């Protein structure tokens, strides 16, 4: 069994982990990480929730996540397609997803997350989108030096074998669809070429 470091690597996805962890509700019982990869965020969430489930389509990523979990009974890993996998309806107090939703049908995935969240629960989606407007391209160009410097300083890298895909939706399309499907959602564009959606499901 390989040794697990507290922070084995850093990249622009890992940069969003602190904000995600701060969003976990106090007293969280069950949490779900959609597109968990090697389970790094799942292991971090174990300090905030009683039980954490990670789901990913990649057999290699799930195998790695299970190995790194070292048999921790607090953690469960599911190999499968999130949109169709058997998961408990309204079964989670907290659901998160980091740079995974652009690999799926955006609206179908967001609706599934909404349905799996318990009333009063919190959803955080960190995503990647493409630039389509003049303002979006300007933001990308302005942030480029900061992104490059940050990656160099942190020696940015990620786990081997992580699936990649180019985003099809623009930032504007993401914002419009999210506001329609998740009334009251908080949308934010981040410097390191990411956006985030934060939503609390109504308690009643």
């Amino acid at each position: 069994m390989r040794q697990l470091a507290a922070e084995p690597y850093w990249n622009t996805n890992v940069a969003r982990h602190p904000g995600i962890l701060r969003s976990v509700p106090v007293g969280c019982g069950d949490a779900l990480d959609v597109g968990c990869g090697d389970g790094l965020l799942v292991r971090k969430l174990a300090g905030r929730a009683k039980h954490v489930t990670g789901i990913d389509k990649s057999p290699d990523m799930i195998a790695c996540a299970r190995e790194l979990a070292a048999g921790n009974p607090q953690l469960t890993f599911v190999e499968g397609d999130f949109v169709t996998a058997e998961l408990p309806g309204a079964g989670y107090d907290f659901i998160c997803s980091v740079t995974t939703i652009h690999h799926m049908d955006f609206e179908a995935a967001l609706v599934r997350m909404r349905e799996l969240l318990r009333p009063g629960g919190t959803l955080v989606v960190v995503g990647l989108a493409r630039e389509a407007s003049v303002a979006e391209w300007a933001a990308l160009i302005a942030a480029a030096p900061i992104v490059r410097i940050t990656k160099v300083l942190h020696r940015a890298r990620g786990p081997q074998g992580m699936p990649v895909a180019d985003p099809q939706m623009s930032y504007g399309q993401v914002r419009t669809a999210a506001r329609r499907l998740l009334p009251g959602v908080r949308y934010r564009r981040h410097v390191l070429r990411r956006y985030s959606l934060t939503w609390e499901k109504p308690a009643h």
Side-chain angles (χ1 to χ4, degrees), residues 5-20:
E7 190 73 272
Y9 57 84
W10 184 96
N11 54 39
T12 48
N13 293 331
V14 176
R16 302 262 53 90
H17 287 186
I20 292 171

Side-chain angles (χ1 to χ4, degrees), residues 31-32 34 92-97 113 116-117 122-125:
L32 174 68
V34 179
Y92 301 96
D93 302 299
F94 182 75
I95 297 176
C96 62
S97 180
M113 293 176 194
L116 292 177
L117 198 63
T122 300
L123 169 65
V124 178
V125 174

Side-chain angles (χ1 to χ4, degrees), residues 24 46 48 53 79 84 101 118 142 151 176 186 195:
V24 178
R48 305 292 181 100
T53 298
E79 178 190 330
T84 59
I101 199 167
R118 288 175 179 148
K151 285 183 175 181
T176 298
R186 296 193 299 277
Y195 68 81

Side-chain angles (χ1 to χ4, degrees), residues 49-70:
K50 293 179 181 178
H51 186 267
V52 188
T53 298
I55 182 170
D56 201 290
K57 286 182 65 174
S58 169
D60 291 340
M61 288 291 98
I62 286 294
C64 181
R66 286 172 174 156
E67 179 184 348
L68 291 170

Side-chain angles (χ1 to χ4, degrees), residues 15-20 22-23 97 106 123-129 136 139 170-172 174-176 178-179 182 184-199:
R16 302 262 53 90
H17 287 186
I20 292 171
R22 286 193 296 270
S23 297
S97 180
F106 180 85
L123 169 65
V124 178
V125 174
V126 172
L128 178 65
E136 289 169 353
S170 70
Y171 288 96
V174 166
R175 184 174 60 250
T176 298
R179 287 174 174 171
L182 305 174
V185 67
R186 296 193 299 277
Y187 169 91
R188 182 180 176 189
R189 175 82 182 268
H190 298 282
V191 172
L192 299 180
R193 209 188 171 210
R194 296 291 183 272
Y195 68 81
S196 63
L197 307 172
T198 305
W199 183 67

